Amino acid sequence: MAPDSLASTTPPTLSTTADAASASPGSLGVPGGTPQLSRTLKPRHLSMIAIAGVIGAGLFVGSGAAIKEAGPGILVAYAAAGFVVILVMRMLGEMAAASPETGSFSAYADRALGRWAGFSIGWLYAWFWIIVLGIEATAGAAIVHRWVPGVDQWVWALVLMVLLTLTNVASVKSFGEFEFWFASIKVAAIVVFLLLGVVAILGLMPGVPAPGLSNLTGQGGFFPNGSGAVLGGVLVVVFSFFGAEIATIAAGESENPVDAVRKAVRSTVWRILIFYIGSIAVVVTVLPWDAASVTKSPYVAAIELYGIPGAGTIMDIIVLTSVLSCLNSGLYTASRMLFSLAVRGDAPKAWTHISKRGVPRSAVLASTVVGFLTVGLNYLAPDTVFLFLVNTSGAIALFVWLVIAVSQLILRRRLSPEQTRALSLKMWLFPYLTWFAIASILALLVGMLVIEKTRESLLLSVLLAAVLVTVGVLRYRKRPLPVA
């Protein structure tokens, strides 16, 4: 555990576990002090990862389906989903600031619920990001293939996977640098988009009449498909926020993990307000929500409205950047979770091997191998095997958030009043908002069950989770809970 963390004030339930024991001030180590993760991520790396960690291709492309679902009322859906994410990040931040660890919520679940819980949610989370590698590599390859059609799409998918694997294997600093510039491009693109949107809304853009409120209240009103469609829209948009927790995982390899966690968590509110709600508000204000161009690609439609030439190419570049960012961070996150699981004895011991540069190369390569397999399946059997694998990860985001909320509820209640006061970051209105978050996540799971198009994904995710929980319970039924 980092020397500047709350080791002296937190009880055994919030102290570090095996993956942080015996760590030197500049590393995260394991018992015996042999494997040590390098703490070379700079504050600017963590800041940009925190700012743009939840901005993916889903915002630029997938938001069109959400707008079609609920019309301008999708703003309510984004606000509701964003509020839940803010609460979850605050709870995770409380635990991570007290005990920054590579295993993050998986390690906290170990202490709060038992080893079976940390085992199960850790493997589910790693599985989610490994599946994402196949999805994003294919999406990125499709964009590059449009530019260079002479090269087969699967070749580009392979090139992208190899490129980002080399980045992650080289050093954690190279991962941070790539993610910093990827995130910077995304942030710059959205800021420019917002500024142009404000200019257009105010009627200051030549050739673009001020829209007023016509697009918000016309075409059927603010809720053209009824309030029920907004609830369905929440299920569409909520998963685009998944990934905000990456900053707390990466914080374990930063120079000052506690400070990095606090900054990442506190920036979540304005990130969601500006980048998500703000940019979607611009789209539904300047364009009719039911326009075909909005459904296809809302941001391209808005850029074309501004009269900017090459809107499609510009958006392709931005989406490709988002895809590469997701590949980069997904491979990093999956490997760190596999490393943490291996350190705790829940994955092959070989994955604890650390290179001289402080990178868990074995864990990175293990994630990459499965990632390559998913890419291959996406080309060989896209509508059968690959679709089945994707559906098994459909509800994992909600499972992770639920585990975070329950873990925080349990661990916080174990603290004495003195220990609670010593926390550098606290959940608001505990335990009321914690219970509200739990109830909201459960409601979203029920919604996935009720809505036909998400039911299969939920059931397959539950099946996978049930298998892992069963294995975890059988594995640890006779073993005691970890102690400090």
Side-chain angles (χ1 to χ4, degrees), residues 50-75:
I51 291 172
V54 296
I55 303 173
L59 173 64
F60 299 113
V61 181
S63 55
I67 294 172
K68 181 181 179 181
E69 179 91 18
I74 197 63
L75 290 172

Side-chain angles (χ1 to χ4, degrees), residues 259-452:
D259 186 55
V261 166
R262 285 200 297 262
K263 289 181 178 178
V265 171
R266 287 169 179 165
S267 68
T268 302
V269 177
W270 64 263
R271 274 187 288 155
I272 291 175
L273 285 174
I274 295 176
F275 295 131
Y276 274 87
I277 299 176
S279 62
I280 294 297
V282 166
V283 170
V284 296
T285 302
V286 301
L287 294 166
W289 69 271
D290 54 354
S293 58
V294 173
T295 303
K296 182 179 179 181
S297 183
Y299 289 81
V300 170
I303 294 174
E304 289 176 343
L305 176 69
Y306 302 154
I308 299 175
T313 301
I314 292 172
M315 189 51 58
D316 272 350
I317 294 172
I318 295 171
V319 171
L320 179 60
T321 301
S322 298
V323 165
L324 294 176
S325 173
C326 195
L327 270 174
N328 193 40
S329 58
L331 184 53
Y332 170 85
T333 307
S335 65
R336 287 341 185 246
M337 187 57 72
L338 291 181
F339 169 78
S340 177
L341 288 167
V343 165
R344 286 177 278 155
D346 292 333
K349 187 178 179 180
W351 294 353
T352 62
H353 176 72
I354 302 294
S355 70
K356 292 181 180 179
R357 292 191 174 185
V359 176
R361 288 184 176 175
S362 298
V364 172
L365 294 176
S367 304
T368 302
V369 168
V370 182
F372 278 124
L373 291 176
T374 57
V375 171
L377 289 171
N378 199 359
Y379 287 103
L380 297 175
D383 299 323
T384 53
V385 180
F386 183 74
L387 182 60
F388 173 82
L389 296 179
V390 170
N391 281 335
T392 61
S393 65
I396 289 178
L398 297 179
F399 296 162
V400 169
W401 293 343
L402 185 60
V403 167
I404 290 172
V406 173
S407 297
Q408 188 268 339
L409 180 68
I410 294 173
L411 294 180
R412 177 69 173 272
R413 283 182 167 174
R414 292 178 183 172
L415 299 181
S416 67
E418 293 78 14
Q419 292 165 335
T420 300
R421 286 193 293 270
L423 291 173
S424 61
L425 190 69
K426 298 177 183 177
M427 176 59 181
W428 305 299
L429 297 176
F430 179 83
Y432 306 108
L433 284 181
T434 298
W435 278 113
F436 175 81
I438 292 173
S440 300
I441 296 167
L442 291 174
L444 289 171
L445 288 170
V446 172
M448 286 190 70
L449 181 63
V450 172
I451 297 177
E452 185 177 356

